[in-house]
């Protein structure tokens, strides 16, 4: 299944990133994983958070450009060659990676967050090859130590 | 040198009489040939016979850039199209160009005026002048070109865009004069310094215009390049460069009053200003055949003096420009209205994005940055999409303005909102 990633547009200006983390912290939103892409002009913060809808609303209310995007989190074993195998599989199926980064690791496995040219097809290809993907609940709550 | 002493050094009475005679003839001709003006005069209950000299000038209606646009393309022409030998155009406020036409005689007058400017700068038939204004629809390149040929100088038609070639020819041909925007000339000077060629050139005069500049810039240009720099003014609606220029005393720009009748008005009350008072420059073309204009509002702010100049010329002088009475910007010699940016951005999406123009001068070149807020419908989680958006906005703006633009995406709500008229422009060039 797909999971919701929260993306935020940031200007390359002092304190912008900090104001995002502060806002999420205030509302008890955990950031399970993130990647920060930067260009000379702006940055793009992509996050997997404990409550994507709420986090998006908080940031939008603050005036940020924020949106939710579908991505997948593929579980792979922590040993040499596993990432390569997944990428080879996707490449051979004619899929291209828009971007990717890792989700927090749990036990012997790690999960790789991927945005691909065709998510539905990717899920099919991965399923056929026996790969597991994180459910939304799993991804949002991974390593979340907030008391429930 | 004074190119046309009869016309540049007449007594004020002679100027007055010549202007009055020309104005009377002009009004009659325009009334009978241009429907737009005939209607305007009829609305004012004005007949050609009511204008008996320049004392009656104030009775005539004003003309604005909007009038030119409303009559696009040829509605204000006063001669049959068969008599038009050339068209030029400049950017309009909302994308549509302002078109001007010339008869053979108009071109003659234009090159006469530019020859006067060049002679005033000490340029003569022995000189080689590099014309580094853009050639094409813009009046700068061809205006200076014809004027210099008329003077008998050798013209090197460089146009713009290739500084290295310009410098090579400047050195190899031992050019003695150059015509270009002042900021470009400073850029040339710096390139010459960097390449160690500054002592190998032989320039003695520069004719700079098409954008506002300061006395400090003149001094910098003159010191760096060891030449004399002169200010030239003009606008395509009137004829192009050569409406006015300054002499070696740099005490204001001499207006060629036998062809262009200047007035200074208060842009709010539209009443005439006193001599020396700053207001908007208004020009009536006294001799133009193809597209004569009554009281054209230039939107340029200046003051006027009718005192005789130390150089011996008696024609009126306008002071260095003090700004504009509208929001037009001149960037690298190109006229830019914030409304053009707005219109172009509006065409890209359904909603109007918030934007801000930042004009700066870096290494003596004007830079236009346009900040655009990244709103919902623009935003993407992929860098390549955002970069594609930046490029697309740059391209759209470049097409609309005829000028390269640096586009910066900024967060929503970060561009200041103001009550009433929004502040759309920050001009960091210190020019006035």
């Amino acid at each position: 299944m797909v999971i919701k990633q929260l993306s935020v547009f940031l200007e390359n200006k002092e304190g912008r990133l900090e104001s995002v983390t502060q806002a999420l912290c205030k509302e008890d939103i955990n950031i399970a994983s993130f990647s920060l892409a930067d260009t000379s002009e702006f940055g793009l913060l992509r996050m997997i958070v404990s409550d994507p809808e709420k986090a998006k609303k908080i940031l939008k209310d603050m005036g940020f450009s924020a949106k939710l995007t579908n991505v997948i989190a593929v579980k792979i074993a922590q040993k040499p060659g596993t990432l390569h195998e997944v990428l080879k599989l996707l490449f051979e199926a004619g899929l291209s990676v828009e971007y990717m980064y890792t989700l927090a690791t749990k036990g012997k496995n790690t999960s790789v967050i991927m945005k691909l040219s065709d998510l539905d097809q990717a899920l099919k290809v991965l399923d056929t090859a026996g790969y597991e993907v994180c459910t939304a609940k799993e991804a949002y709550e991974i390593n979340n130590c907030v008391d429930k | 040198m004074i190119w046309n002493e009869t016309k540049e050094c007449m007594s004020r009475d002679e100027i007055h009489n010549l202007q009055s005679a020309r104005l009377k003839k002009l009004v009659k001709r325009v009334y009978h040939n241009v429907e737009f003006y005939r209607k305007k005069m009829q609305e004012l209950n004005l007949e050609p016979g009511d204008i008996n000299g320049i004392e009656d000038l104030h009775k005539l209606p004003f003309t604005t850039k909007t009038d030119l646009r409303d009559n696009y393309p040829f509605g204000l022409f006063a001669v049959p199209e068969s008599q038009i030998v050339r068209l030029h155009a400049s950017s309009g406020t909302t994308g549509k160009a302002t078109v001007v036409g010339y008869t053979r005689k108009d071109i003659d007058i234009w090159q006469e005026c530019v020859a006067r400017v060049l002679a005033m700068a000490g340029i003569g038939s022995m000189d080689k002048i590099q014309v580094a204004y853009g050639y094409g629809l813009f009046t700068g390149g061809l205006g200076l070109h014809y004027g210099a040929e008329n003077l008998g100088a050798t013209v090197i038609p460089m146009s713009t865009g290739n500084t290295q070639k310009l410098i090579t020819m400047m050195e190899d041909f031992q050019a003695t004069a150059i015509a270009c925007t002042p900021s470009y000339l400073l850029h040339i000077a710096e390139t010459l310094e960097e390449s160690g060629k500054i002592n190998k050139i032989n320039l003695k005069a520069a004719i700079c215009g098409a954008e506002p500049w300061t006395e400090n810039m003149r001094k910098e240009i003159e010191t760096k390049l060891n030449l004399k720099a002169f200010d030239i003014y003009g606008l395509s609606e009137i004829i192009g460069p050569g409406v006015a220029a300054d002499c070696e005393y740099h005490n204001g720009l001499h207006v060629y009053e036998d062809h262009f009748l200047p007035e200074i008005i208060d842009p709010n009350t539209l009443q005439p200003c006193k001599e020396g008072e700053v207001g908007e420059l208004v020009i009536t073309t006294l001799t133009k055949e193809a597209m004569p204009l009554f009281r054209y509002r230039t939107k340029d702010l200046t003051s006027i003096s009718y005192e005789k100049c130390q150089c011996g010329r008696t024609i009126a002088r306008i002071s260095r420009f003090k700004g504009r009475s509208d929001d037009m910007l001149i960037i690298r010699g190109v006229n830019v209205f914030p409304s053009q940016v707005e219109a172009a951005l509006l065409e890209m999406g359904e909603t109007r994005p918030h934007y801000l123009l930042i004009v700066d001068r870096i290494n003596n070149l004007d830079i236009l940055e346009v900040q655009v807020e990244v709103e919902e419908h623009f935003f993407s989680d992929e860098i390549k999409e955002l970069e594609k958006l930046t490029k697309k906005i740059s391209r759209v703006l470049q097409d609309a303005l005829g000028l390269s633009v640096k586009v910066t995406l900024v967060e929503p709500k970060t561009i200041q909102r103001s009550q009433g008229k929004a502040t759309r422009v920050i001009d960091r060039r210190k020019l006035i």
Side-chain angles (χ1 to χ4, degrees), chain B residues 216-361:
Chain B
N216 282 341
M217 278 175 81
R218 183 206 304 284
K219 282 183 189 131
E220 200 182 336
I221 289 171
E222 292 188 336
T223 317
K224 279 192 167 159
L225 292 163
N226 190 28
L227 50 68
K228 295 277 172 219
F230 297 85
D231 199 354
I232 184 170
Y233 172 74
L235 56 171
S236 62
E237 296 89 327
I238 298 304
I239 203 152
V243 172
D246 67 355
C247 65
E248 69 268 32
Y249 295 97
H250 305 304
N251 205 355
L253 287 78
H254 294 275
V255 184
Y256 298 121
E257 279 188 282
D258 49 331
H259 298 296
F260 317 112
L261 176 55
E263 296 170 81
I264 306 292
I265 62 157
D266 178 323
N268 299 315
T269 64
L270 305 183
Q271 293 306 306
C273 288
K274 292 195 192 89
E275 187 171 345
E277 227 171 58
V278 174
E280 182 182 326
L281 175 65
V282 171
I283 300 175
T284 301
T285 64
L286 290 173
T287 49
K288 260 281 225 46
E289 289 184 338
M291 205 180 94
L293 298 179
F294 291 160
R295 309 185 79 197
Y296 183 70
R297 294 189 56 185
T298 67
K299 308 278 176 177
D300 288 316
L301 300 178
T302 180
S303 61
I304 201 161
S305 162
Y306 294 100
E307 240 173 77
K308 184 178 172 179
C309 180
Q310 279 169 280
C311 70
R313 289 176 183 83
T314 51
I315 47 180
R317 276 169 293 151
I318 47 174
S319 71
R320 195 175 264 290
F321 290 96
K322 311 264 191 276
R324 300 266 311 167
S325 64
D326 64 5
D327 58 359
M328 187 182 90
L329 298 159
I330 303 175
I331 302 168
R332 271 176 268 153
V334 178
N335 298 349
V336 173
F337 290 92
S339 55
Q340 285 174 285
V341 173
E342 183 153 334
L345 289 174
L346 204 53
E347 269 176 37
M348 289 187 54
E350 294 112 45
T351 54
R352 174 199 334 215
H354 285 277
Y355 66 92
L356 179 68
L357 307 187
I358 300 176
V359 195
D360 210 342
R361 186 161 281 176

Side-chain angles (χ1 to χ4, degrees), chain A residues 5 7-11 16 37 39 41-42 44 46 60 63-65 67 69 98-99 115, chain B residues 369 374-376 379-384 386-387 390 406-414:
Chain A
Q5 167 194 268
S7 313
V8 190
F9 179 86
L10 296 173
E11 267 176 63
R16 298 312 293 152
T39 71
E41 307 293 341
F42 58 84
L44 199 49
R46 307 180 184 115
K60 283 190 84 94
F64 281 100
S65 265
K67 71 187 277 186
T69 319
E98 304 293 354
Y99 53 80
K115 166 91 183 268
Chain B
E369 176 187 348
V374 178
E375 280 162 60
E376 193 81 0
F379 183 47
S380 163
D381 61 312
E382 290 176 31
I383 298 272
K384 71 171 186 215
L386 289 172
E387 286 182 338
T390 310
K406 176 188 183 317
V407 172
T408 309
L409 302 179
V410 298
E411 288 170 20
K413 316 265 170 359
T414 50

Side-chain angles (χ1 to χ4, degrees), chain A residues 44-63:
Chain A
L44 199 49
L45 178 64
R46 307 180 184 115
M47 297 177 282
I48 304 298
V49 295
S50 51
D51 189 341
E53 292 290 348
K54 186 174 163 197
K56 178 185 155 191
K57 187 176 180 308
I58 293 165
L59 294 178
K60 283 190 84 94
D61 289 348
M62 287 174 70

